[in-house]
Amino acid sequence: MTDTVRARRRWVRRGALGVGILVLVAGGVGWAVYAKLDSNITPDEAAAAELARYEKERPTSLVRGAQNILVIGSDSRAGSKNRRYGRDSGTERSDTTILLHLSADRRGATAVSIPRDLMVDVPGCRRPGGTRSDPVFAMFNYAFQVGGSACTIRTVERLTNIRVDHHVVIDFHGFKEMVDALDGVEICLRKPIADKAAKLRLPAGKVTLNGEQALGYVRARKSLGNGSDTDRMERQQRFLAALVHKVQSNDVLLNPVRLYPVLDAATSSLTTDPALASLRGLYELARGVRDIPTERVQFLTVPRESYLYNSNRDQLVEPEAERLFERLRTDTPVEVTDSPEMHPGSPRHLSRPDEPSGPTPPAPTFRGSTAAENPCG
């Protein structure tokens, strides 16, 4: 064997060893990153145990593959990072609650806001200290205050007869960090905002909100719009539509340098049911929805009106609310329109003049919006 051949073999062996080391190092870093992100997520074991206790009374899923995820925004002031937003009273309420329905074919997503002031039947629930509350007719966000996510889920299921498959809880700080990790979210304002309570001052037109500004924008109530919770929910829906645009943009999803901090912030801020409390669980969920076109990502609010005995509270409008819930239960497409003629949250039947009448009425269309709509257009 010549010296040249021996030298070439030594080079090949050393090259292979070098490549192997690089693979191992890369694999180790990848595993370290995966392990960190995976451990960020907090599993809601207490809620899982409570829901298992009442499994027999919970609705059953009617359509295989369809998913219903309850997204809960907590107003907890617990912890140093949330304390700046108010005094920690030891309790928390659900400032924002959205029932997200993903169609079985993953061609559509419908996000339904549930007003915090909606009057509902809240079942008896386990309090954090272990005692149990009595069933009560109260505002919807009382459920989260008295019994956390499990009580909120049971309240939603009783209200809608829709099975909640998964749930996600995010607090003030987590929301802010996630927006900052995305380098802000662009929205369009028709009028300038000057809100002292939210410490928010923004010009009219296109504005990129950082995390603190975004939190003020979605939380502000009394000084923006007409001061109602209805106006705030619609503002939250517009922000979520803008968030969908940002997350789906290639410079985020296809850029690992930008994607990692987003994943780190997102996973650190989440408390979820055990089935979602892992990167694998979240990935399986995200994989099915990443290709949904923005025009099929819809936002609306449950059909409601002022409560009969207190105009500062809400009640469902029937049978319109049941029509919406039935379509979600059966995974039937929901149609929305932003027509100003419709009262927020109320459906109507839309039909063309040349459309033949028949025994089957046209599908109801609800007041709402899609992620494809551009308020600046």
Side-chain angles (χ1 to χ4, degrees):
M1 184 180 296
T2 65
D3 292 340
T4 301
V5 173
R6 291 192 185 96
R8 184 179 294 116
R9 288 184 175 178
R10 283 197 301 271
W11 181 87
V12 170
R13 286 196 299 270
R14 290 171 181 171
L17 178 61
V19 171
I21 291 174
L22 287 175
V23 169
L24 289 174
V25 170
V29 171
W31 174 251
V33 169
Y34 179 92
K36 179 183 186 301
L37 295 176
D38 196 61
S39 63
N40 280 348
I41 309 167
T42 303
D44 199 347
E45 301 287 358
E50 179 72 354
L51 291 173
R53 176 188 178 103
Y54 292 96
E55 179 60 36
K56 290 184 178 180
E57 72 176 35
R58 299 183 65 194
T60 57
S61 298
L62 300 182
V63 180
R64 183 177 181 180
Q67 293 278 292
N68 297 296
I69 301 103
L70 196 66
V71 181
I72 303 170
S74 166
D75 72 351
S76 172
R77 271 71 171 180
S80 60
K81 295 178 179 179
N82 289 316
R83 195 172 298 136
R84 60 178 298 184
Y85 301 109
R87 183 178 62 86
D88 180 13
S89 63
T91 62
E92 53 184 330
R93 293 198 180 193
S94 48
D95 250 15
T96 302
T97 304
I98 295 174
L99 181 62
L100 175 62
H101 174 79
L102 305 177
S103 64
D105 60 11
R106 295 302 188 266
R107 294 180 180 177
T110 302
V112 181
S113 296
I114 302 176
R116 68 176 195 170
D117 296 336
L118 186 69
M119 299 301 294
V120 297
D121 289 309
V122 178
C125 296
R126 183 184 185 278
R127 295 189 176 97
T131 60
R132 306 199 74 85
S133 66
D134 293 325
V136 64
F137 186 65
M139 290 194 305
F140 173 73
N141 67 349
Y142 174 73
F144 193 70
Q145 178 189 7
V146 72
S149 53
C151 192
T152 301
I153 291 168
R154 292 178 59 215
T155 300
V156 169
E157 291 184 339
R158 286 193 174 194
L159 182 72
T160 66
N161 200 28
I162 295 171
R163 174 79 176 208
V164 174
D165 302 293
H166 301 290
H167 70 276
V168 175
V169 181
I170 184 169
D171 62 17
F172 290 157
H173 179 73
F175 175 86
K176 185 182 75 171
E177 289 292 300
M178 191 160 53
V179 173
D180 281 336
L182 285 165
D183 293 332
V185 173
E186 185 181 80
I187 62 169
C188 187
L189 300 175
R190 294 185 176 89
K191 297 180 181 179
I193 293 177
D195 188 308
K196 291 183 179 180
K199 299 179 181 179
L200 191 62
R201 183 177 292 274
L202 300 169
K206 290 183 179 180
V207 181
T208 298
L209 303 181
N210 62 29
E212 194 71 40
Q213 292 169 326
L215 183 61
Y217 177 74
V218 299
R219 289 190 63 227
R221 179 177 181 178
K222 296 182 179 179
S223 61
L224 294 184
N226 59 16
S228 68
D229 199 42
T230 295
D231 189 76
R232 179 169 67 170
M233 285 186 294
E234 292 183 348
R235 197 181 325 119
Q236 291 169 349
Q237 292 168 4
R238 289 195 296 271
F239 180 84
L240 288 175
L243 185 66
V244 170
H245 273 290
K246 186 63 178 279
V247 171
Q248 285 192 346
S249 63
N250 289 343
D251 61 339
V252 174
L253 294 179
L254 300 182
N255 186 338
V257 176
R258 297 197 63 190
L259 183 59
Y260 173 76
V262 175
L263 291 176
D264 189 31
T267 54
S268 297
S269 67
L270 298 181
T271 298
T272 77
D273 59 279
L276 278 187
S278 68
L279 277 184
R280 181 181 180 87
L282 290 176
Y283 172 74
E284 291 297 327
L285 180 65
R287 185 177 64 173
V289 302
R290 63 187 176 188
D291 296 326
I292 296 177
T294 53
E295 63 269 18
R296 296 307 303 167
V297 178
Q298 303 176 126
F299 302 93
L300 67 153
T301 303
V302 295
R304 84 278 183 220
E305 61 188 2
S306 293
Y307 179 48
L308 181 62
Y309 302 106
N310 186 339
S311 61
N312 293 319
R313 304 289 179 260
D314 288 330
Q315 65 184 24
L316 291 181
V317 175
E318 297 293 4
E320 287 82 358
E322 176 54 29
R323 290 174 185 162
L324 172 62
F325 300 151
E326 182 181 10
R327 297 185 82 81
L328 298 177
R329 279 195 299 270
T330 58
D331 197 30
T332 305
V334 174
E335 300 297 331
V336 301
T337 178
D338 62 353
S339 171
E341 299 176 2
M342 296 181 63
H343 185 276
S346 64
R348 68 175 179 181
H349 294 290
L350 295 181
S351 60
R352 300 185 304 274
D354 59 344
E355 187 175 29
S357 60
T360 303
T365 299
F366 296 83
R367 168 76 182 274
S369 60
T370 74
E373 294 172 16
N374 182 5
C376 295

